[in-house]
Amino acid sequence: TEEQIDIEYISVDIDDIADSVEFNDEDLREYYEENIERFVSNEERRSRHILIQIDEEVSEESALNLVTTIKNRLSDGEDFASLAKEFSKDPGSAENGGDLGWAERGLFVPEFDKVLFSLEIGQMSEPVQTQFGSHLIRLDDLTEGQQQEFDEISQELDIEYSRLLAEDKLFEKADRLADLSLQAFNELSSVANKLDLTLNRIDGVTRNG
């Protein structure tokens, strides 16, 4: 038969501690004010692009020349969406006229991202080289980042602040648990009582249990 052991254990859980920490609305507002710069919704930009891929058949020079030709046609008044459907090799956006939807900073590769977040509404970029090929980017719209008011995020703040306070108590309690367990030597019931924790038990545990 397999060797079996019976186990007693104590668990210190940060969620349990977070549920028990006490603070008032004034404390929470002070935490909000101290970290107010963090609580700003990110700026979002809506854009379109045309991608000419560089592959075995299309060299970097050829891709750049084609993008330049397309840019000149756009400058002459041709429709961006129509040319995106005709020329763009991006399978995710070409059929939608190059529409990339709304995006926050950091969503795209750095070269693309840097240009996108430097454009004015309605402005079209110069050709942009990335690992995917050569792009033309047009900014269609933007939503500026907004300061999130305390009342809007009070529930999220409550969870965040309680866990922050709980972290210090967690390490403190874990240290006490280690010291008391060492002193108790061969039992944990006295440790559980002193720390107001539950003493758990599992019987008949095997090596594969």
Side-chain angles (χ1 to χ4, degrees), residues 3 25 39 64 68 77 97 109 133 148 151 172 180 183 186 208:
E3 178 186 21
D25 189 62
F39 306 121
L64 182 58
T68 302
V109 293
Q148 296 173 288
D151 292 338
E172 179 185 329
L180 291 172
Q183 294 168 20
N186 65 351
N208 295 318

Side-chain angles (χ1 to χ4, degrees), residues 10-180:
I10 297 172
S11 174
V12 182
D13 188 274
I14 191 169
D15 289 328
D16 293 336
I17 298 174
D19 289 339
S20 66
V21 294
E22 296 182 357
F23 54 89
N24 56 37
D25 189 62
E26 187 176 329
D27 296 328
L28 202 58
R29 285 184 179 275
E30 184 177 343
Y31 176 72
Y32 169 76
E33 294 294 339
E34 289 173 353
N35 296 274
I36 195 166
E37 292 181 0
R38 283 180 46 220
F39 306 121
V40 179
S41 61
N42 294 328
E43 177 184 319
E44 292 184 317
R45 295 191 165 215
R46 183 164 192 168
S47 61
R48 294 178 184 271
H49 83 138
I50 296 172
L51 168 66
I52 305 302
Q53 289 181 323
I54 299 169
D55 52 32
E56 295 178 356
E57 298 179 359
V58 182
S59 67
E60 184 174 331
E61 183 180 358
S62 298
L64 182 58
N65 288 338
L66 180 53
V67 166
T68 302
T69 299
I70 295 170
K71 186 173 188 298
N72 291 335
R73 289 176 61 176
L74 290 168
S75 299
D76 290 337
E78 292 195 46
D79 181 57
F80 195 104
S82 298
L83 291 179
K85 288 181 179 180
E86 182 180 350
F87 291 103
S88 183
K89 299 302 181 184
D90 178 9
S93 69
E95 285 303 310
N96 295 321
D99 186 10
L100 293 170
W102 291 95
E104 296 179 2
R105 191 183 295 273
L107 181 65
F108 301 114
V109 293
E111 303 91 337
F112 191 104
D113 203 65
K114 181 179 179 181
V115 173
L116 173 59
F117 279 83
S118 68
L119 296 174
E120 302 291 334
I121 293 178
Q123 184 182 2
M124 184 165 53
S125 72
E126 295 298 322
V128 179
Q129 295 296 117
T130 73
Q131 67 200 65
F132 302 106
S134 190
H135 308 253
L136 278 177
I137 309 167
R138 190 184 75 190
L139 177 63
D140 287 347
D141 200 358
L142 68 83
T143 301
E144 295 182 355
Q146 299 292 325
Q147 181 66 54
Q148 296 173 288
E149 298 299 328
F150 176 82
D151 292 338
E152 295 179 67
I153 56 171
S154 59
Q155 187 172 357
E156 293 91 333
L157 283 172
D158 190 283
I159 296 170
E160 181 177 320
Y161 188 55
S162 63
R163 286 186 69 86
L164 182 67
L165 296 178
E167 284 179 6
D168 290 336
K169 292 183 178 293
L170 174 70
F171 293 124
E172 179 185 329
K173 206 159 193 175
D175 285 340
R176 286 197 64 206
L177 174 62
D179 291 341
L180 291 172

